[in-house]
């Protein structure tokens, strides 16, 4: 372990004091931030040459972002337990026998959630809730089931203090799935996030329409193209965190992201970007991710000591890593400006095709880079269109068309994004605020989903233009909670601060209403 400078120690001390004295952080948020500050004093990774300039540049235009994972990763970023195994066998560590009715299964899950770590300290995946609960749903009356589910979801919303926590339902209709949608529509809460795995012909229309109606009230569930995910990740996949496709019983060691818009600024022209700047940054980021993974597997002790691994709820060889990116649109536009061209990403075929060529370069690099600890994905990382963070200014999430520049017609936007969703097995998605009149015609939204998924669009999210719960980038936040935070009041969930930052820097409240 290398020594750090006294200057950095002093900076960290000031940061710690600022956290302690903050009037808007809750106690839990202060504790989490203090842990991050302590971690910043360690230097245990063998960092690749050139990383510091890209990760912490003097001009502030970083080209690589590690998304606050810390200098010494003590656990994988995203952990995806096998909850079915837990309910079937119980847990020796948690001193729980298999549950026998709906009361016990909901209590068991709430206990288990407290012990699933992640980069946020909360579980990013809370289970395929419909199939988990279906065997127990008739152990009580339907009215009791609804009341218990309401209490269960309220408990989650008040104790899982960020909305990166994600549950799944579908693709088939179940009684539990229908009750979940009914309860979530009534509650209108930000936690948990929710995805319906959808496949036409397997997901019944009336079930899908119930999901649409729930989404128009509560911004969830989103719709995942189940056929695409199964073909790439097998039947044993889940949607976690924002919209991340990951292996069940495993997860992701790490997620770092290329900031393509800033990489483009380093190049004189398109050729230099493609042949020099982009390959150089990708090599450094991949080497950095390799080091993070090596430390987690070989030195952190997590897989040897944590009960999740010891009892078989997760398996080390079912973990992969996510090679992320943001700002493709701005990258393309910057490069075209350097060439003296006027085309814009999302509107002109030349610009869109340049985006495809850039993605092909990234995809080829990723397919050629190997990591020995990513066996579940054939020793390669998974590409991920990262949703953006609060500090992003002029950087669009993943491969999205910038807010304010959306094509006039929805079908035009869908045709553009269909060129890019195929690259991202570990997640990408687009978001559409829907005019409140659509409440009278939910079939309109379902038709969009059906048509889009036939064009290999991977993931779609909708919310009503008048909804309090809105989707920020991949996570959910209440407008009313953002207003409270903006006035200097403390709020329960730390993702509210991220949402407020995205509203101020990323114009997420200005999306084109469809």
């Amino acid at each position: 372990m290398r020594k750090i400078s006294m200057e950095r120690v002093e900076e960290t001390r000031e940061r710690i004091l600022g956290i302690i004295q903050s009037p808007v952080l809750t106690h839990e948020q202060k504790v989490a931030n203090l842990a991050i500050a302590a971690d910043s004093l360690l230097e245990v990774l063998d960092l690749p040459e050139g990383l510091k300039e890209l990760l912490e540049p003097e001009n502030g235009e970083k080209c690589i972002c590690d998304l606050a994972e810390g200098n010494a990763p003590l656990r994988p970023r995203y952990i995806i337990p096998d909850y079915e195994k837990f309910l079937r066998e119980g847990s020796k560590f948690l001193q729980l026998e298999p549950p026998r009715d709906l009361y016990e299964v909901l209590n068991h899950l709430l206990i288990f959630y407290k012990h699933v770590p992640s980069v946020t300290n909360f579980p990013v995946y809370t289970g395929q809730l419909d199939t988990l609960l279906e065997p127990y749903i008739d152990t009580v009356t339907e009215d009791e089931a609804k009341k218990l589910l309401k209490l269960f979801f309220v408990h989650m919303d008040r104790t899982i203090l960020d909305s990166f926590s994600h549950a799944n339902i579908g693709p088939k209709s179940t009684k539990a799935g229908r009750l979940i949608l009914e309860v979530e529509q009534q509650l209108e809460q930000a936690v948990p996030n929710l995805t319906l795995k959808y496949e036409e012909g397997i997901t019944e229309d009336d079930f899908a329409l119930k999901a649409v109606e729930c989404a128009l009230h509560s911004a969830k569930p989103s719709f995942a193209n189940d056929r695409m995910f199964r073909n790439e990740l097998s039947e044993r996949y889940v949607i976690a965190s924002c919209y991340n496709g990951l292996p069940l019983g495993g997860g992701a060691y790490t997620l770092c992201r290329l900031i393509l818009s800033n990489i483009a600024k380093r190049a004189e022209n398109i050729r230099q970007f493609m042949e020099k700047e982009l390959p150089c940054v990708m090599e450094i980021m991949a080497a950095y991710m390799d080091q993070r993974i090596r430390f987690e597997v070989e030195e952190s002790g997590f897989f040897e000591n944590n009960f999740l691994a010891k009892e078989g709820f997760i398996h080390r060889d079912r973990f992969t890593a996510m090679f992320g990116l943001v700002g493709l649109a701005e990258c393309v536009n910057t490069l075209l400006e350097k060439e003296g061209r006027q085309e814009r990403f999302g509107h002109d075929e030349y610009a869109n095709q340049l985006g495809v060529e850039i993605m092909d370069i990234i995809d080829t690099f990723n397919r050629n880079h190997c990591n020995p600890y990513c066996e579940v994905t054939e020793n390669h990382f998974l590409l991920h269109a990262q949703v953006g963070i609060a500090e992003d200014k002029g950087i669009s999430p993943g491969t999205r068309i910038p807010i304010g520049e959306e094509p006039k017609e929805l079908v035009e936007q869908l045709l553009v994004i269909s060129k890019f969703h195929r690259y991202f097995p570990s997640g990408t998605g687009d978001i559409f605020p829907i005019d409140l009149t659509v409440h009278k015609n939910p079939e309109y939204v379902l038709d969009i989903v059906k048509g889009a998924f036939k064009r290999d669009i991977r993931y779609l999210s909708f919310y009503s233009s008048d909804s309090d719960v809105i989707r920020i980038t991949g996570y959910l936040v209440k407008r009313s909670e953002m207003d409270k935070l903006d006035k200097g009041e403390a709020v329960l969930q730390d993702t509210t601060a991220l949402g407020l930052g995205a509203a101020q820097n990323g114009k997420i409240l200005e999306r084109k209403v469809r």
Side-chain angles (χ1 to χ4, degrees):
M1 184 170 66
R2 298 183 299 278
K3 291 184 178 180
I4 62 173
S5 66
M6 286 304 300
E7 179 182 4
R8 186 158 168 190
V9 171
E10 288 301 320
E11 289 176 356
T12 304
R13 285 175 175 169
E14 292 180 12
R15 181 181 170 193
I16 288 171
L17 183 60
I19 293 168
I20 292 171
Q21 295 176 336
S22 172
V24 297
L25 293 176
T26 65
H27 173 74
E28 290 78 8
Q29 291 163 0
K30 288 181 179 181
V31 171
N33 279 280
L34 289 171
I36 294 171
D39 177 87
S40 70
L41 293 173
L42 295 176
E43 291 190 4
V44 297
L45 304 179
D46 186 10
L47 301 179
E49 186 176 348
L51 175 67
K52 184 174 177 58
E53 175 192 349
L54 300 172
L55 199 60
E56 301 174 359
E58 292 183 2
N59 64 6
E61 293 183 343
K62 62 172 67 176
C63 295
I64 293 174
C65 174
D66 64 6
L67 294 166
E69 287 188 1
N71 291 357
L74 73 160
R75 40 79 198 111
R77 182 181 182 95
Y78 299 129
I79 295 173
I80 312 298
D82 185 343
Y83 291 105
E84 185 178 352
K85 175 182 171 66
F86 165 59
L87 297 183
R88 186 173 63 247
E89 301 176 5
S91 168
K92 182 179 178 180
F93 177 77
L94 297 178
Q95 303 174 47
L96 292 172
E97 296 295 326
R100 293 164 295 184
D101 57 30
L102 190 60
Y103 288 91
E104 291 187 359
V105 72
L106 296 178
N107 188 57
H108 275 43
L109 288 172
L110 291 174
I111 292 170
F112 199 92
Y113 295 156
K114 306 289 187 189
H115 300 275
V116 181
S118 75
V119 68
T120 66
N121 298 313
F122 300 103
V124 295
Y125 176 65
T126 57
Q128 179 81 28
L129 288 181
D130 54 352
T131 57
L132 288 175
L133 300 182
E134 186 70 8
Y136 307 90
I137 206 73
D138 286 330
T139 59
V140 299
T141 67
E142 186 167 309
D143 286 342
E144 284 180 298
K146 289 179 184 178
K147 183 171 183 178
L148 288 170
L149 286 172
K150 280 186 178 181
L151 293 172
F152 175 68
F153 285 120
V154 168
H155 186 108
M156 290 176 70
D157 185 73
R158 306 306 194 270
T159 60
I160 299 176
L161 303 180
D162 73 65
S163 52
F164 294 116
S165 189
H166 207 128
N168 297 173
I169 59 174
K172 295 180 180 179
S173 172
T174 60
K175 181 178 180 180
R178 289 174 179 273
L179 291 178
I180 287 168
L181 291 173
E182 184 176 332
V183 167
E184 285 284 53
Q185 180 172 331
Q186 294 171 3
L187 290 174
E188 298 187 33
Q189 297 180 156
V191 178
N193 208 332
L194 185 66
T195 287
L196 170 67
K197 298 175 178 179
Y198 178 86
E199 182 170 356
E200 188 174 2
I202 294 177
T203 309
E204 297 174 10
D205 276 2
D206 64 335
F207 185 50
L209 288 171
K210 196 173 184 69
V212 171
E213 291 168 358
C214 184
L216 293 176
H217 283 87
S218 63
K220 58 183 171 180
S222 295
F223 295 79
N225 190 329
D226 188 52
R227 173 184 54 82
M228 284 186 74
F229 279 108
R230 281 189 290 105
N231 288 344
E232 296 157 336
L233 299 177
S234 83
E235 297 281 348
R236 288 171 57 79
Y237 85 92
V238 311
I239 304 296
S241 188
C242 289
Y243 45 46
N244 310 357
L246 290 170
L248 177 66
Y253 298 111
T254 185
L255 162 59
C256 292
R257 62 181 195 157
L258 304 167
I259 305 180
L260 295 174
S261 50
N262 287 342
I263 301 173
K265 295 174 183 178
R266 296 163 58 95
E268 294 180 4
N269 50 46
I270 292 174
R271 181 175 179 179
Q272 187 183 68
F273 172 83
M274 290 183 167
E275 295 182 0
K276 179 184 177 184
E277 299 298 341
L278 180 59
C280 175
V281 177
M282 288 193 294
E283 287 281 0
I284 292 173
M285 190 168 91
Y288 180 45
M289 292 173 65
D290 286 340
Q291 280 300 308
R292 299 188 68 81
I293 294 167
R294 183 202 60 77
F295 182 86
E296 286 178 33
V297 174
E298 298 179 7
E299 296 189 45
S300 74
F302 176 83
F303 292 103
E304 292 79 15
N305 301 318
N306 190 277
F307 87 99
L308 294 171
K310 292 171 76 170
E311 295 190 27
F313 301 124
I314 60 173
H315 301 274
R316 206 280 310 153
D317 61 4
R318 290 193 59 77
F319 279 79
T320 185
M322 298 158 66
F323 199 75
L325 59 90
V326 290
L328 179 66
E330 291 80 7
C331 171
V332 166
N333 293 339
T334 295
L335 292 174
L336 290 176
E337 289 170 7
K338 289 175 181 282
E339 301 278 356
R341 302 186 66 111
Q342 303 301 313
E343 292 94 340
R344 301 287 292 179
F345 182 84
H347 295 271
D348 301 289
E349 186 55 34
Y350 187 90
N352 297 338
Q353 188 56 39
L354 177 57
V356 170
E357 291 174 16
I358 291 169
M359 283 307 311
D360 283 339
I361 292 171
I362 297 171
D363 186 48
T364 299
F365 172 85
N366 185 59
R367 292 178 186 276
N368 289 326
H369 181 83
C370 291
N371 181 284
Y373 296 122
C374 293
E375 301 97 322
V376 70
T377 49
E378 299 179 344
N379 296 109
H380 303 300
F381 302 149
L382 294 177
L383 293 189
H384 178 73
Q386 203 269 331
V387 297
I389 57 177
E391 68 187 45
D392 287 344
K393 283 188 177 182
I395 303 171
S396 296
T399 61
R400 289 181 194 164
I401 299 170
I403 292 172
E405 297 186 28
E406 301 97 334
K408 182 177 180 180
E409 300 297 331
L410 175 59
V411 68
E412 296 175 21
Q413 186 170 355
L414 292 171
L415 289 173
V416 172
I417 65 178
S418 70
K419 298 177 184 290
F420 299 100
H421 277 213
R422 63 186 175 89
Y423 291 101
F424 301 104
S426 72
T428 186
D430 281 82
I431 304 170
F432 302 99
I434 299 294
D435 187 274
L436 57 89
T437 58
V438 175
H439 283 283
K440 300 176 182 178
N441 185 22
E443 290 84 359
Y444 168 75
V445 175
L446 182 56
D447 285 344
I448 293 171
V449 172
K450 289 180 178 180
F453 284 5
K454 288 175 182 176
R455 298 297 297 259
D456 285 343
I457 290 176
R458 184 180 298 278
Y459 196 88
L460 293 173
S461 301
F462 306 90
Y463 61 89
S464 175
S465 57
D466 66 338
S467 174
D468 186 27
V469 182
I470 61 172
R471 190 164 295 275
I472 301 297
T473 50
Y475 58 95
L476 306 176
V477 166
K478 284 191 171 185
R479 297 181 205 253
S480 54
E481 289 292 285
M482 288 196 293
D483 290 342
K484 287 169 59 177
L485 183 61
D486 196 32
K487 295 174 184 176
E489 300 177 35
V491 293
L492 195 60
Q493 290 154 356
D494 55 15
T495 33
T496 303
L498 303 182
L500 182 60
Q504 295 168 338
N505 296 331
K507 304 179 181 179
I508 56 93
L509 299 180
E510 301 173 28
R511 293 188 180 110
K512 186 176 181 62
V513 176
R514 299 297 185 177

